[in-house]
Amino acid sequence: MTMQKIMQLHYSRPINDLRLLFFHGVLACLTTPMPTTLADVKHAASQAMREASNPAPVTAQELRDSIGRDERLNWLEDVFDGGDGYGGYTTAPSSLPFTLSQSNNYTPLSLNRILLSYSYMTQGLVQTVIKQPVEDAFRGGIEIISKELSPEEKGDLTGIIYARKPVELGHEHPIRHMMTAMGLAGVDLDDSDIDANKETQCWARLYGGAGLLINTDQDLSSDLDVEKIGAESPLQFIACDRWELVLSQINIWDLTERCPFNYYGQRANRTRVIKVMGEKAPSYIRQRLQGWGMSEIERCIRSINAFVKFENVVFQLMDEAKIDVFSIDGLNANAMSPNGTALMKRRIAMAQGQKNYQNSITLDSKDIYEQKQIHFSGIADLWEQLRLNLSSALKIPMNKLFGQSATGFGGGQDSIENYNSIVEAIREKATPCIMETIRLRAQQLFGYQPKFTIRFKPLKVLDGNEEQTVLTAKQDRAIELFTTGLATGKETSEILASESLLMIDTEVLKGTREPVSPQAEADAELADKNIAAKPKPKPAAKK
């Protein structure tokens, strides 16, 4: 094959670059078995130049055969060739994985601590994605249910886990030494126990994992002895993200290692950390994440990028929405003169100053002034679609993300139900941490660990009429238990008081008086009436 045809097959155009022709002439001489001289090289180059000036025809089949199939994936001809109708492939082009593979991220974002931290600080959208479901999960408070605790004890226990407490770390405490050495002495450690639990859930969603550190006056590297926690023992719960706990190279999943965690240089026993995992990753990716979960931002990074990019485009369009164009006669000639640039700036400044406070501009007869404006038609629809895509990726309703009211016949009820499933999942992850927090606080307050469960408030917020309907139904059920004899008057009063339906300490609630059942009172009245209506027996006649 001639040199020119080789070049045409690879570049599909005539060759005009003399240096490239000369190079290929040298290459042709080097590949021939004959002795090569400078004259041979010149002859090969001149021959290639002559063939370039009179290009030989290259058929489509020759060009096609010279290019690999991987380079011809987008050829329309490949879609229809082959006996299978799929261009030689056994799968339709729309089902090939190339587009999907190019849309993936092969470096987990969960490993980029710096990017996630600054995005959380800077981007309000990221902060909303992380915090909003956690705030909704803890909204309304937590109810402690236990038969071993009196209502007063449950109230005290609930109050202490919600109360902000002063820092209980003495100056000699290892954590205090560590924080002082690192310049972290001003870190807020006096959050309530519930605040620490909420923060732990937030870090788990942001970084893919977190932990609740149990800090007492016991050695942090030793097993936690719950029985030694008393009324005088300091007890603090510290929220830590995954990066604050694994600053060492120890595998935290090695059960033979008693101190797999390292909190800023302080080795922490595994009994001192309650782990909270993020979204579970596939096994192949889990190894790269060191066993932790994925960040919530991981699965919506494309939607967030599209949203942020669109915001930047809108701001650029706003900057360029109205542009003044001055066509000045002799602009190029004046620019070459020594004072031309300064004179042109002065001329434009005069025109700009006139249009600020006047409705007309004075120009030379050869000068032209026009104003170009950008129209924003269609941007609102695109903006709405991007927000919808972002809401779908996050499974968070638009009214939660952007404060936009739901529209349509359903009023957004379906999207709220889907969002509630995410909140319920957060509550399930938070329950072990909250249970352990309450258990240790009960040990500190009462000296023992009662059996208890916790209950979150319903996610659905009732209006005034709906709330009254629910309270009335609860009262009717309690009274029905009393009328059927399944509960005593005191027990019924306690039920009503627990539901905030009985606001005062009545005699029945105190147990000093047993109420009369309405049915029993009605039966007694009916019996009295029957007795009164019964005719009196006539006295016997005297003989």
Side-chain angles (χ1 to χ4, degrees), residues 3-264:
M3 180 64 62
Q4 191 272 344
K5 181 170 291 188
I6 293 176
M7 297 300 293
Q8 272 193 296
L9 290 176
H10 285 282
Y11 296 98
S12 67
R13 61 178 182 270
I15 302 172
N16 298 319
D17 194 331
L18 297 181
R19 289 175 299 177
L20 189 61
L21 285 171
F22 183 79
F23 170 75
H24 281 278
V26 174
L27 183 62
C29 293
L30 293 177
T31 55
T32 58
M34 299 175 59
T36 302
T37 63
L38 181 60
D40 295 331
V41 173
K42 293 181 178 179
H43 176 73
S46 60
Q47 179 67 21
M49 293 175 61
R50 284 194 299 273
E51 292 180 353
S53 60
N54 298 300
V58 179
T59 64
Q61 186 63 33
E62 290 178 325
L63 180 61
R64 172 185 175 82
D65 295 339
S66 66
I67 301 178
R69 175 169 293 279
D70 292 340
E71 301 177 13
R72 294 187 285 108
L73 290 178
N74 294 326
W75 283 29
L76 184 62
E77 184 180 355
D78 282 334
V79 178
F80 302 100
D81 73 346
D84 51 12
Y86 294 143
Y89 291 100
T90 58
T91 307
S94 59
S95 300
L96 294 176
F98 306 116
T99 303
L100 180 62
S101 64
Q102 294 172 0
S103 302
N104 292 335
N105 177 26
Y106 295 94
T107 302
L109 180 65
S110 304
L111 296 177
N112 197 332
R113 181 189 184 187
I114 297 177
L115 177 59
L116 290 174
S117 300
Y118 281 99
S119 298
Y120 182 82
M121 179 189 72
T122 307
Q123 304 291 336
L125 178 63
V126 174
Q127 196 169 134
T128 302
V129 170
I130 298 301
K131 292 188 65 175
Q132 186 65 53
V134 177
E135 293 291 342
D136 290 337
F138 285 81
R139 184 184 60 194
I142 297 170
E143 181 182 358
I144 301 175
I145 303 173
S146 175
K147 295 182 179 180
E148 299 181 13
L149 297 175
S150 64
E152 292 78 12
E153 290 175 332
K154 287 189 288 186
D156 295 339
L157 190 56
T158 302
I160 195 172
I161 64 174
Y162 276 96
R164 292 178 61 89
K165 294 167 283 297
V167 178
E168 299 170 338
L169 304 181
H171 293 287
E172 301 300 325
H173 196 279
I175 295 292
R176 176 60 67 197
H177 277 300
M178 175 271 300
M179 299 181 69
T180 303
M182 296 189 62
L184 300 175
V187 173
D188 187 11
L189 289 180
D190 60 344
D191 285 342
S192 68
D193 299 341
I194 295 298
D195 289 338
N197 277 271
K198 290 166 62 175
E199 187 177 350
T200 303
Q201 297 299 322
C202 288
W203 298 151
R205 288 176 56 83
L206 179 62
Y207 297 108
L212 187 65
L213 180 65
I214 304 171
N215 187 36
T216 66
D217 54 357
Q218 304 174 27
D219 185 6
L220 196 62
S221 60
S222 63
D223 290 354
L224 178 63
D225 190 348
V226 180
E227 300 297 331
K228 290 184 179 180
I229 299 178
E232 302 300 328
S233 302
L235 179 61
Q236 203 74 30
F237 298 95
I238 305 175
C240 315
D241 62 59
R242 55 163 290 190
W243 300 106
E244 295 178 291
L245 296 173
V246 290
L247 298 182
S248 63
Q249 299 298 322
I250 299 177
N251 181 11
I252 64 172
W253 303 102
D254 185 4
L255 299 181
T256 61
E257 175 61 44
R258 297 306 301 169
C259 297
F261 302 103
N262 190 308
Y263 184 68
Y264 293 103

Side-chain angles (χ1 to χ4, degrees), residues 479-480 482-484 515-525:
I479 294 177
E480 185 178 358
F482 173 71
T483 56
T484 55
V516 180
S517 171
Q519 185 63 38
E521 186 176 358
D523 294 341
E525 292 180 358

Side-chain angles (χ1 to χ4, degrees), residues 141-145 427 453-458 498-499:
I142 297 170
E143 181 182 358
I144 301 175
I145 303 173
R427 287 181 170 183
T453 58
I454 61 173
R455 181 170 61 189
F456 293 92
K457 296 295 183 182
S498 65
E499 299 291 348

